[in-house]
Each structure stands twice: as structure tokens, then as C-alpha cells.
Amino acid sequence: ESLSEKAHRERQTVSQKLKHYGIYIGSWLLSTSLAVGCGVSIFYLCQYEDKQAVDTETWSLLQEAGTLLVPFVVSLMNMVIPLFFSLFNKFEHFSNQRKQIYAMLFRNVILRMSILSVLCYYWVYMVPQKFTCWEPMVGQAVYRLVIVDFIFLMLGSFFGEFLSNVIGTTLQPRLGVPEFDVARNVLEIIYAQTLAWIGIYFSPLLPVIQILKFFILFYLKKVSLTRNCQPPQRSGRAAQMKTIFIFLLFFPFFVGAVSIVAYTAWSLTPSEQCGPFRGLNSTFSVIGEWIDEVDKIPGSEWVVWIYQNVIRSEIFYFLVTLIILVITYIFWQLTQGRKELIVLLRQQIVNGSEDKSFLLDRLQNLQKSDPKHNKQKKQTTHTKQHSAEHSSGRQSHSNAVVQVLLARQQLEEEERRSASGVAVPSDISTSDAMMQAMLARQKAERQDENFYKIPNEHPQSLDAVALSMAARQRAEEEDEYWSMTDFNQSNPVNRFGMQARERAEGNREDDPNDALSPVSSVMIQVMQARQRAEEEERSQSTHVPGQNPAPSGSSALIQAMLARQQAQNEYDDGY
């Protein structure tokens, strides 16, 4: 509510403010004029009733009905004029609901206070001069006003809320369901309670009628609220509205009622023929006569002392007034301290918002200047590039397979040349083919490592590994073929190769720990590595969904490379 008020004030221009102030002044002048006019009309109506009234004990039925004219007109004004005041809201355009409720409240208060002021003046000054038993006449007038006000409140709930609901839901849906006017209903209760306070002196049983009236009115309003009305679209501040209602109940209604009763008890002379105070100069003088009677009773001197030294002492009332002023000052200081605390808390909120905005600016500047942040951006871009190059990785693996096939083809050509009678040393031909296979496989492994950098992908280089293993197996079979073939001893190249092979085999025979040939041992290691790679590939194919499979082919490749390196070292030593 406070934020909306502040925003509305900031958006208004000078011309708009002047226009609104002109509308406010015109509305207040019109509402005040209506309230004063109602009070004046009630005054003349009371004078007319005074002329028609007769100071007799028995009245006719027509005369009794004529006494209901003033209560009827007063209740009708209290019901119709507030509805006319509500039309001002369409022209005033208050910035918030609170100001609108305050304006409605004070206009209705002015209306009811003007009517009650005229009635009290008529009851206190004009009725005692015309009637000998004026207290019962005033009590009957207040009683009739309470009853007629109760009837109008029930009719207002029926016609004002029930019929509005029926019209808004069936005949004119554009109007909608009426809202429950909290301010108007609370003010009606305050007005009814003020009538009870005023009439309690003239009609002692009037509070009983008031209790029954409020009991019935409560359940009637409850049913009307739940079935015919809807809550207000904009809610005001409940705590402040409660304070305003309590203040209005105290002043001017309670203070006005107490003032009327006090003036009647201290100043007016009671009736000589009616009432419990007849024959006295004032109502308050009955206390003095009661104290004189109590003084004659033995043992009641303390009551007389309290009355003489406390009740009738100016110092007592001075002390009571001083205590009340001190308590009021303490509560006022507490209120001022809470207001200062509210100002400090608002300033802390403003400072906190400024600190947050400052820290956000610093954080943005640090993120822009932080190299790690840029590195993270580059890594994100690099990951996207890897996902885009995923298809190209498979093409690189196919290139590696082609290279292995070329090496295998070259190995077969060398085999055909050897079969045609050209003497080629077995170690040299085998090592050349194996070197080419190793180079092709090493290139495939590098591409496979780059391919493994892409997350959530299975290794795709197992086909290239299988082909390189097949090429190596063919080379080893060719080596066995050359070792079992007799070459021309006159060829120095053949003789040198045979001598180198015999020397390598002699060295291997001297080693008791190496019972198998180097080719068979290498084959066993390669086959074990290949079998281990196939098992890991099968375990990868059955991995749990949602988890990233580990690159198991890399360990098998490393073992195969170590086995091949060992075989190459043995061939080099033997050669």
C-alpha cells in the first residue's frame, strides 16, 4: 500500500494534482453541505413535531404514529446519504484504498454527528420546557429511534445486498456481486451504540434492547456477507483501520454521549412529578442526600470521609489527571520511538538493496575479467565442437583400417615374390611388415585416444586392432615359413640371415626360463590381450543405462603394444 501511494505521487504532474485537489475540495463542500442540510431539516422536523405534541397522559393512535416521523426520516437519511457519498469515488480517484475509506468515514461521521447534535439539542433544551415529565419523553424518543434504526438496518441488508446480488448475477452480470462495505457497517454499529449511551440515562432498560438488536444483527450480517457479498478487491491496512474505528468510537461519539449525560445530571432540573430524582435541584445532588443518610448509620464514618476528602477533593482529580497524562506521554514516546525505528529499518532496507546491487555489479565485472570463466567458455565451445566432429572420428578410424589393409597387401606381395624364387631374409621382411602394421596401429591408437575425449561414446577402434592383429599373425606365419625353407647357401644374404637366425635360436635355447619360441610366446600374449579386449567389449555392451562406459580398449591396446615391442626387441637382437 505504501509503495503504491509513493508510485502514484511520483507519476502525477502538477496539472493532475491541481485537478485532483479541485475535485476533492468540491466533493468535501458538497458532502458537508448535505450533512448540514440534513441536520437543519431534522431541526425543523422536530419543531413541527413539538407543535403537534400535547402534554397529556393519553395520546390517540394518530398522535402515537406521528411520533415515528422523526425516527423514520433520520434512519432514511442515514441509509440513503452514505450511498450518495459513495458516488463521489467515481470522480475523486484516490491513490489508495485507505484514503478512500477515510474520506467515506469522516463524511458519514459528519452526517451522523450533525443529526445527533440537532436531536440532543431538541431533547435537552426544548422538551423540558414543553413537557412536565420530560425524561420519559426523551427516553421514548431514543427508544423509537433505536427500533426504527434496527428495522432500516435489516431492510438495508435485504435491499442493499440481497437485491444487488440478484441483479448482479441474473439481470445485469456487468455489475457483479456487491462488495461488503466494512467502513459503513462498522459506522452503523458505532451510531447504534451511541444511541444506547445517550438513552441509558433516560431509559435504563435500553441496553437490554440494544443487546438483542446486536445479537440478531450479527447473524443477519453474517448470512448476508457469506451469501450476497464478496470481499473488497483492494484491502486497506487492518491495524490502522482498527485504530481509526476505536478513535471514532471514543471521539466524538462516546465523548459526546458522556457530555450530554453529564450536562443533564449536573445542570438540568429533574421533573417534579416523574422519575426517581423528582423534587431535587439536580440529579447529582442525590449523592449528597445519600451520604447524609449513610452518616447516620454507626460504623460508616469511613465512607463519609472518602466522600468528603477524596470524591469532592480537587487534589484527587488533579492527581488522577496527572497520572493519565503521564501514561499518555509514555505511550506517545513509545509511538515516536517505533516511528523512528521504522525509519531506521526502511533506511537499512534501502542500504541493503544498494549493497546487493553493488555486489552484483562487482560480480559481473569479475566474471568478465576472470580467465577461468573464459576458459570454461572455451571448454564448453570445445565440447560442442567435439560433439560436432563425432561423425568425422569414425571416418578417421576407417582411414586407419585402410592403412592396415595396405600394409597387409604389401606383406602378401613380399610373400609372392619369395615364392617365385627371390631370396628375401625372413627377419627383414617380417620386421618391415610388422613396422608398417605398428605404425598403422599407433596412428589408429592416437585417433582412438582423441575419439575417447568425446563423452558418453563407445570405443570404435577395435576393428582396426583386430585387422592389425591379423596382419601380424600373417607376418608370424610367414616367419615360420622362411624358417622351415632351405635357401641357396651360395647367396651371402641368405647365408647371413640363416646364421643370424641360428644365433638367435641358440641364445633362446640357452635360456632355461624361455621354453617356448619367441613367436609362440608373443602370439600367446597377443591372443591374451585380444581376448581381454573382447571381454571388456562385451562388458561394455551390457553396461547399466545412464552411466558413461569406461574406455576399456585403451588398456588392451597398451598390453598389445608392449607385447609387440617385446617381440620387436627379440627380432632385433636375433638379427
Side-chain angles (χ1 to χ4, degrees):
E1 194 77 14
S2 299
L3 292 175
S4 64
E5 293 175 13
K6 184 178 179 181
H8 183 77
R9 286 195 299 267
E10 291 177 353
R11 288 196 302 265
Q12 283 185 339
T13 60
V14 178
S15 60
Q16 291 177 348
K17 289 181 180 180
L18 293 176
K19 180 181 177 181
H20 287 166
Y21 288 151
I23 294 174
Y24 296 157
I25 293 172
S27 301
W28 277 103
L29 289 176
L30 183 58
S31 62
T32 307
S33 301
L34 285 173
V36 174
C38 291
V40 173
S41 62
I42 294 297
F43 177 77
Y44 285 107
L45 186 61
C46 291
Q47 284 186 344
Y48 173 76
E49 184 184 13
D50 185 57
K51 292 178 182 179
Q52 299 295 326
V54 180
D55 189 10
T56 58
E57 294 183 0
T58 59
W59 287 15
S60 63
L61 186 60
L62 184 60
Q63 290 175 344
E64 291 286 348
T67 58
L68 296 175
L69 180 62
V70 174
F72 178 81
V73 174
V74 169
S75 300
L76 185 64
M77 288 180 178
N78 289 330
M79 186 180 68
V80 175
I81 299 301
L83 297 177
F84 185 75
F85 287 162
S86 62
L87 297 177
F88 294 163
N89 297 330
K90 297 182 179 180
F91 306 99
E92 290 176 329
H93 300 292
F94 287 99
S95 59
N96 56 75
Q97 185 77 7
R98 184 162 51 92
K99 290 183 179 180
Q100 180 180 348
I101 293 176
Y102 288 167
M104 289 290 296
L105 278 175
F106 287 113
R107 287 168 185 169
N108 292 325
V109 166
I110 293 173
L111 173 65
R112 285 173 168 80
M113 287 305 299
S114 63
I115 293 174
L116 287 176
S117 300
V118 172
L119 290 175
C120 290
Y121 177 80
Y122 172 74
W123 293 333
V124 173
Y125 288 100
M126 300 182 68
V127 173
Q129 296 177 3
K130 187 173 182 61
F131 299 96
T132 54
C133 293
W134 60 275
E135 292 98 338
M137 295 296 296
V138 175
Q140 292 175 12
V142 177
Y143 181 80
R144 286 191 294 266
L145 196 60
V146 170
I147 297 300
V148 173
D149 180 70
F150 174 64
I151 294 172
F152 270 82
L153 287 177
M154 290 191 297
L155 293 177
S157 298
F158 179 76
F159 291 102
E161 296 172 355
F162 176 71
L163 291 183
S164 297
N165 184 24
V166 172
I167 294 172
T169 53
T170 59
L171 300 179
Q172 293 290 334
R174 180 176 57 86
L175 298 177
V177 181
E179 295 182 359
F180 186 79
D181 194 351
V182 178
R184 181 175 59 84
N185 285 275
V186 171
L187 198 58
E188 289 174 353
I189 296 174
I190 293 174
Y191 172 75
Q193 184 62 37
T194 306
L195 292 178
W197 285 333
I198 294 173
I200 193 172
Y201 174 79
F202 305 101
S203 179
L205 295 179
L206 189 62
V208 178
I209 304 300
Q210 189 73 6
I211 290 172
L212 295 176
K213 172 185 173 181
F214 280 163
F215 183 81
I216 298 172
L217 191 64
F218 171 78
Y219 286 100
L220 181 65
K221 290 290 184 181
K222 180 181 178 181
V223 174
S224 178
L225 173 64
T226 55
R227 296 184 180 273
N228 301 327
C229 300
Q230 63 177 349
Q233 295 180 359
R234 297 179 61 189
S235 60
R237 297 180 180 179
Q240 291 188 359
M241 295 306 301
K242 181 180 178 181
T243 304
I244 291 296
F245 290 144
I246 293 175
F247 176 76
L248 290 176
L249 183 63
F250 175 76
F251 181 84
F253 291 100
F254 179 76
V255 174
V258 171
S259 301
I260 294 299
V261 174
Y263 177 78
T264 304
W266 260 275
S267 301
L268 295 180
T269 302
S271 301
E272 296 180 358
Q273 299 179 1
C274 305
F277 307 110
R278 57 180 179 270
L280 299 176
N281 295 326
S282 64
T283 304
F284 188 75
S285 60
V286 72
I287 299 176
E289 294 184 358
W290 179 72
I291 292 295
D292 293 337
E293 294 180 358
V294 171
D295 192 16
K296 298 177 182 179
I297 301 173
S300 59
E301 292 81 5
W302 60 275
V303 178
V304 178
W305 184 88
I306 290 174
Y307 174 75
Q308 295 293 337
N309 297 285
V310 177
I311 302 299
R312 299 186 63 180
S313 174
E314 293 82 1
I315 298 176
F316 172 74
Y317 293 103
F318 175 78
L319 293 176
V320 171
T321 306
L322 183 63
I323 292 172
I324 292 174
L325 291 176
V326 169
I327 294 173
T328 305
Y329 177 76
I330 291 173
F331 280 105
W332 180 73
Q333 287 294 329
L334 289 175
T335 305
Q336 296 297 321
R338 289 172 181 174
K339 288 182 180 179
E340 294 179 359
L341 180 61
I342 289 171
V343 173
L344 293 176
L345 291 176
R346 287 180 177 175
Q347 188 63 35
Q348 288 182 3
I349 292 173
V350 173
N351 295 335
S353 62
E354 292 178 355
D355 294 340
K356 288 180 181 179
S357 61
F358 173 75
L359 291 175
L360 287 174
D361 295 337
R362 288 292 303 273
L363 181 61
Q364 291 176 358
N365 295 331
L366 289 174
Q367 288 178 351
K368 292 179 180 179
S369 60
D370 191 4
K372 293 182 179 180
H373 183 70
N374 298 331
K375 185 176 180 180
Q376 291 178 357
K377 287 185 177 180
K378 291 181 180 179
Q379 290 179 356
T380 305
T381 307
H382 187 63
T383 305
K384 292 181 179 179
Q385 291 178 356
H386 273 300
S387 62
E389 294 174 356
H390 174 60
S391 58
S392 63
R394 296 182 179 179
Q395 186 176 1
S396 62
H397 285 287
S398 62
N399 295 331
V401 173
V402 171
Q403 292 179 4
V404 173
L405 291 174
L406 291 175
R408 183 175 179 180
Q409 185 177 3
Q410 184 178 0
L411 182 63
E412 290 174 353
E413 290 178 356
E414 291 177 357
E415 182 180 1
R416 286 194 297 270
R417 284 200 305 268
S418 62
S420 61
V422 180
V424 179
S426 62
D427 292 338
I428 296 176
S429 61
T430 305
S431 62
D432 292 338
M434 288 185 63
M435 286 297 295
Q436 292 179 4
M438 285 176 64
L439 291 175
R441 183 169 181 178
Q442 186 176 5
K443 187 174 182 180
E445 287 171 353
R446 290 177 181 175
Q447 293 176 354
D448 185 68
E449 290 175 356
N450 294 329
F451 176 69
Y452 279 148
K453 293 180 181 178
I454 302 176
N456 299 328
E457 294 291 338
H458 295 282
Q460 302 293 333
S461 63
L462 294 177
D463 296 334
V465 173
L467 292 173
S468 61
M469 289 295 182
R472 180 165 184 174
Q473 187 176 2
R474 290 292 301 273
E476 289 171 350
E477 290 174 359
E478 185 181 1
D479 180 74
E480 291 176 358
Y481 171 77
W482 285 108
S483 61
M484 296 172 63
T485 305
D486 293 333
F487 295 97
N488 189 5
Q489 300 295 330
S490 62
N491 192 344
V493 177
N494 295 338
R495 188 171 52 252
F496 178 77
M498 293 297 294
Q499 291 176 0
R501 179 177 293 276
E502 290 176 358
R503 193 182 304 111
E505 291 176 355
N507 293 331
R508 285 192 296 271
E509 290 175 356
D510 294 337
D511 190 0
N513 296 326
D514 191 5
L516 299 175
S517 64
V519 176
S520 60
S521 61
V522 172
M523 282 292 297
I524 291 172
Q525 293 179 4
V526 172
M527 292 300 294
Q528 289 177 355
R530 183 174 179 180
Q531 184 179 3
R532 202 176 296 114
E534 290 175 351
E535 291 176 356
E536 290 177 355
E537 183 181 5
R538 285 194 298 271
S539 64
Q540 277 186 348
S541 61
T542 60
H543 74 281
V544 180
Q547 296 181 356
N548 297 331
S552 60
S554 59
S555 59
L557 289 173
I558 292 172
Q559 294 178 3
M561 288 176 63
L562 292 175
R564 185 172 61 250
Q565 185 69 28
Q566 182 179 358
Q568 184 65 30
N569 293 334
E570 291 177 355
Y571 277 116
D572 293 341
D573 294 339
Y575 184 74

